[in-house]
Amino acid sequence: DQQVKQNSPSLSVQEGRISILNCDYTNSMFDYFLWYKKYPAEGPTFLISISSIKDKNEDGRFTVFLNKSAKHLSLHIVPSQPGDSAVYFCAASFNSGNTPLVFGKGTRLSVIA
Amino acid sequence: EPEVTQTPSHQVTQMGQEVILRCVPISNHLYFYWYRQILGQKVEFLVSFYNNEISEKSEIFDDQFSVERPDGSNFTLKIRSTKLEDSAMYFCASRAGNWNTGELFFGEGSRLTVL
């Protein structure tokens, strides 16, 4: 039962261009969404989040867009840099005290210099 | 910068042996988690822990698994009798409070190899 889906296992982008990573979810009760970045042999690190009351959240080069009606969110990285090459996980949660994150399978981003 | 630390970084064990994975969460955090990632697969939730008790667990977290916070700083995951399919990277994580006030901080993981 994949409640959070990242349908693209990998993505390659030229340095300086925009990277767009997509995520779909099935549970309409999710109301908080996060993106994590993971380098090999390291734990996931938090990147950016968005509450369901918003449709956009921006932090520097990273912007997350949320389309609740489509149950879809995306992460935009612009401009992409070689150091952005990593696996990106989309995660979702209920906004209560202690609800575990549900992760997607991840998308491996390769930024080519 | 505060961080979640995990030991050991890699453990190799024989099937049927007991394994204890250790974690030191960030000191003022209240919620603690174990996740795992089997090679090439998604990060899967195992268990959450709050106020000295398990608050939620997944179907993966069966009777072979247990967690403990023995001394107010360490948070351990015990696998009583390891199976081959327990081979994975195990991540400990902690957070301060409600999602809006703090994201989940992960440790670097403990790789468990069961032979």
Side-chain angles (χ1 to χ4, degrees):
Chain A
D1 173 28
Q2 265 194 280
Q3 296 189 71
V4 177
K5 302 177 189 179
Q6 293 177 258
N7 292 319
S8 299
S10 63
L11 175 69
S12 287
V13 170
Q14 284 286 121
E15 181 180 5
R17 298 286 184 99
I18 184 171
S19 296
I20 300 176
L21 297 107
N22 292 303
C23 177
D24 297 292
Y25 60 96
T26 56
N27 192 334
S28 57
M29 298 299 291
F30 287 136
D31 57 7
Y32 201 72
F33 305 90
L34 306 91
W35 284 94
Y36 280 80
K37 174 177 169 180
K38 186 181 180 303
Y39 293 115
E42 292 185 13
T45 55
F46 171 76
L47 200 54
I48 193 168
S49 62
I50 188 166
S51 165
S52 61
I53 61 172
K54 295 185 175 181
D55 54 20
K56 177 182 173 181
N57 188 26
E58 194 171 347
D59 183 4
R61 296 186 296 115
F62 303 91
T63 304
V64 56
F65 295 92
L66 175 62
N67 182 336
K68 289 188 291 295
S69 60
K71 297 196 187 74
H72 176 85
L73 63 154
S74 60
L75 174 69
H76 292 211
I77 307 173
V78 57
S80 302
Q81 299 172 354
D84 295 329
S85 297
V87 178
Y88 288 79
F89 290 97
C90 172
S93 177
F94 308 100
N95 193 17
S96 58
N98 193 22
T99 308
L101 292 179
V102 178
F103 283 87
K105 287 189 174 181
T107 298
R108 181 177 301 280
L109 173 66
S110 300
V111 179
I112 304 159
Chain B
E1 188 178 321
E3 59 180 18
V4 176
T5 56
Q6 289 186 243
T7 55
S9 56
H10 188 192
Q11 180 153 358
V12 181
T13 190
Q14 294 291 324
M15 191 169 58
Q17 295 297 302
E18 176 182 285
V19 158
I20 297 176
L21 304 178
R22 291 182 167 79
C23 170
V24 180
I26 294 173
S27 62
N28 62 344
H29 283 189
L30 302 175
Y31 299 89
F32 313 111
Y33 303 82
W34 283 99
Y35 283 80
R36 78 173 185 190
Q37 185 183 26
I38 294 170
L39 187 64
Q41 298 188 24
K42 66 178 179 178
V43 176
E44 300 176 292
F45 167 73
L46 293 179
V47 65
S48 58
F49 194 86
Y50 170 71
N51 201 25
N52 287 318
E53 59 183 22
I54 290 174
S55 46
E56 193 163 343
K57 58 184 180 179
S58 72
E59 57 193 29
I60 301 169
F61 194 88
D62 61 21
D63 292 344
Q64 295 299 314
F65 290 87
S66 61
V67 289
E68 210 175 34
R69 189 159 158 79
D71 56 13
S73 62
N74 290 285
F75 179 51
T76 62
L77 174 70
K78 183 193 290 186
I79 308 173
R80 208 177 334 273
S81 176
T82 49
K83 303 187 284 286
L84 294 176
E85 54 265 36
D86 293 328
S87 295
M89 187 73 120
Y90 288 79
F91 293 105
C92 174
S94 69
R95 67 180 174 93
N98 188 287
W99 293 114
N100 280 325
T101 62
E103 72 270 13
L104 205 57
F105 288 81
F106 285 85
E108 293 197 342
S110 293
R111 180 172 298 284
L112 176 64
T113 302
V114 182
L115 303 176

